[in-house]
Amino acid sequence: YRKFATKVHESLRFMNAIGVDTASPSFTKTDFFTAHECLLLPYEQALTRMDSTTGRWYDCSSHMLWVGERTRQMDGGHLEFTRGIGNPLGVKISDKCTPEELIEIIETMNPQNIPGRLSIVVRMGAEKLRKNLPGLIRAVQREGKSVLWISDPVHGNTRKTENGYKTRDFEKIRAELRAFFDVHDDMGSHPGGVHLEMTGEDVTECIGGFSDVTEETLGNRYNTFCDPRLNGAQALELAFLIAERMRLRTGLPPIE
């Protein structure tokens, strides 16, 4: 982290030296977009509006919506609802999804095969991902489907400790991310994104990483009301690990 941050700092100093205004909005601001699971259909329907200029329907509760692993049934209401809106969409899949089922889901949610319309969010655990993801990618490539592949390395690695805390192991999260990159390297496909549950706060909800959270210290700052989150240090550590892997994919040398 320190090496990478030093490189960024040196680059900004160089830009300042040659007259680039690093206080301009292009350096200090960014666009961001919201996304959430399309779970409660009455809520989503109540916030759906027709665009008066195009006549298309959009769910105004979020920019992007995804359908979860437990609600993606082909005859269910969630796929039926999302296929009728113009938002970017996602669908979560686990090792239970077959290649044939995935193609059917893609054709339902993105029948016109519009690039960027549909993201496939993979949540399996490292071992199952290495076994199952290649077949799914192969089917998508064979059928010529346009999808964005995203890794969700947290939801497939949730467990309960002996003292009753729901937690996730940082090493298993990192192992699934590494498997995700490895498979895409082997298949000639592109790892397009990462889905994490995280907070900038110094919580103790996930085990491991440089912050050295253990099962014994989980109770110190276990503040979540739902799922365990990576704390700020763990999330930052993971972000730099991803950045380093992306450098290798683009042929850049590791930061020394």
Side-chain angles (χ1 to χ4, degrees):
Y1 162 74
R2 291 190 182 96
K3 292 176 183 177
F4 197 90
T6 299
K7 289 284 186 182
V8 172
H9 183 63
E10 289 174 352
S11 299
L12 291 173
R13 288 180 61 189
F14 174 75
M15 290 181 177
N16 273 322
I18 63 174
V20 176
D21 180 13
T22 56
S24 66
S26 58
F27 283 90
T28 60
K29 296 182 180 179
T30 188
D31 293 329
F32 69 93
F33 301 89
T34 60
H36 66 235
E37 181 178 358
C38 177
L39 183 60
L40 302 175
L41 290 182
Y43 172 81
E44 304 298 344
Q45 290 169 334
L47 291 169
T48 301
R49 303 286 187 273
M50 179 185 286
D51 179 8
S52 60
T53 60
T54 65
R56 300 189 65 185
W57 292 89
Y58 290 89
D59 187 341
C60 300
S61 69
S62 182
H63 292 104
M64 174 184 174
L65 292 99
W66 75 81
V67 178
E69 163 73 9
R70 298 179 183 88
T71 54
R72 59 170 178 77
Q73 296 86 0
M74 293 306 306
D75 58 351
H78 293 78
L79 289 192
E80 182 64 25
F81 172 76
T82 53
R83 69 184 294 188
I85 57 176
N87 303 60
L89 302 173
V91 59
K92 287 199 176 185
I93 60 168
S94 71
D95 58 296
K96 300 180 181 68
C97 184
T98 65
E100 295 76 18
E101 185 181 14
L102 179 59
I103 295 301
E104 191 174 1
I105 290 171
I106 293 171
E107 291 178 343
T108 298
M109 298 183 77
N110 189 20
Q112 296 177 303
N113 204 28
I114 300 170
R117 160 80 164 162
L118 181 61
S119 297
I120 307 299
V121 187
V122 183
R123 42 152 295 178
M124 297 184 185
E127 186 176 339
K128 291 179 180 178
L129 187 146
R130 290 186 185 277
K131 178 182 177 181
N132 293 282
L133 184 56
L136 298 174
I137 295 175
R138 195 174 295 114
V140 168
Q141 291 172 334
R142 183 179 62 247
E143 298 297 325
K145 300 301 182 183
S146 179
V147 302
L148 179 70
W149 295 99
I150 296 177
S151 171
D152 171 2
V154 292
H155 284 89
N157 292 298
T158 307
R159 66 180 179 89
K160 183 170 283 190
T161 65
E162 291 184 1
N163 51 4
Y165 285 104
K166 189 178 180 182
T167 190
R168 291 160 176 154
D169 292 288
F170 182 88
E171 289 303 320
K172 289 187 176 180
I173 293 171
R174 182 166 63 176
E176 181 164 350
L177 266 177
R178 184 179 290 118
F180 181 73
F181 278 97
D182 288 346
V183 168
H184 281 290
D185 284 346
D186 293 341
M187 298 299 296
S189 46
H190 182 69
V194 178
H195 171 109
L196 300 173
E197 285 197 273
M198 54 170 281
T199 175
E201 299 175 0
D202 186 24
V203 298
T204 55
E205 297 169 2
C206 292
I207 294 169
F210 286 142
S211 58
D212 201 28
V213 181
T214 64
E215 287 196 20
E216 290 70 28
T217 61
L218 280 175
N220 291 354
R221 293 178 299 280
Y222 195 92
N223 300 333
T224 182
F225 291 101
C226 187
D227 286 340
R229 302 160 295 172
L230 296 165
N231 62 32
Q234 291 167 329
L236 190 62
E237 182 180 351
L238 207 57
F240 276 90
L241 291 169
I242 294 169
E244 190 62 31
R245 186 61 185 261
M246 294 301 293
R247 285 180 64 87
L248 293 175
R249 281 184 59 87
T250 56
L252 293 172
I255 296 174
E256 297 178 356

